[in-house]
């Protein structure tokens, strides 16, 4: 199969590709961390937090597909393999076992804040080289910021 020809210059493709790959790793691991918390959650606010975590998982899964497809559209192969995500994720991992709802809310709030920072850096980096990728990252960041606000309000 012939590779996809990028509509971008080589340097723009490299910047956009790196931003998209970093975003893909973040979004895949966010979905895994949120699902792990969802399964092991307990506490007084179980139902609300349990259901809220599913919103985060849905956001992350939708975003990872959009990011991966954008990468392919610009001629970059996305890498969402488990080993790649495990080796490259900057997301702090949750403890094993049952997780108190208050600790989950705090952990998710913090990890969303960290992700938002990385996404904003990628938005800045893609401004000139690829505004289309930048637009996608802006949209995902808006969704992440909404979830951050909602988790932060539960603290």
């Amino acid at each position: 199969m012939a590779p996809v020809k990028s509509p971008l210059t080589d340097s723009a493709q490299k910047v956009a590709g790196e931003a998209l790959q970093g975003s893909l790793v973040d979004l895949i691991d966010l979905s895994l961390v949120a699902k792990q918390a969802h399964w092991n959650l307990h506490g007084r606010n179980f139902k609300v937090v349990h259901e809220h975590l599913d919103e985060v998982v849905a956001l992350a899964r939708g975003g990872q597909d959009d990011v991966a497809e954008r990468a392919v559209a610009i001629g970059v192969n996305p890498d969402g393999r488990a080993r790649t995500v495990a080796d490259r994720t900057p997301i702090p991992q949750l403890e094993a076992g049952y997780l108190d709802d208050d600790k989950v809310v705090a952990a998710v709030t913090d990890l969303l804040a960290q992700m938002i920072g990385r996404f904003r850096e990628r938005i800045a980096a893609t401004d000139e080289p690829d505004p289309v990728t930048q637009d996608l990252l802006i949209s995902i960041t808006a969704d992440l910021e909404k979830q951050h606000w909602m988790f932060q309000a539960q603290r």
Side-chain angles (χ1 to χ4, degrees), residues 8-74:
L8 304 175
T9 65
D10 288 347
S11 63
Q13 181 191 38
K14 183 177 185 331
V15 170
E18 288 173 0
L20 291 164
Q21 181 60 40
S23 298
L24 181 61
V25 168
D26 268 346
L27 291 165
I28 290 171
D29 203 24
L30 174 62
S31 70
L32 295 171
V33 168
K35 208 42 141 162
Q36 180 71 15
H38 172 89
W39 293 325
N40 290 289
L41 186 71
H42 73 94
R44 287 185 344 233
N45 298 311
F46 168 83
K47 183 164 176 42
V48 172
V49 177
H50 183 78
E51 291 173 354
H52 196 175
L53 288 164
D54 271 341
E55 290 179 33
V56 173
V57 171
L59 178 162
R61 287 180 178 166
Q64 47 186 268
D65 195 47
D66 292 342
V67 163
E69 289 177 355
R70 176 66 189 155
V72 173
I74 64 167

Side-chain angles (χ1 to χ4, degrees), residues 113-133:
Q114 293 169 23
M115 275 186 68
I116 290 164
R118 288 190 297 278
F119 267 75
R120 286 187 165 275
E121 289 172 3
R122 294 173 189 134
I123 289 166
T126 55
D127 178 37
E128 188 66 33
D130 187 14
V132 177
T133 293

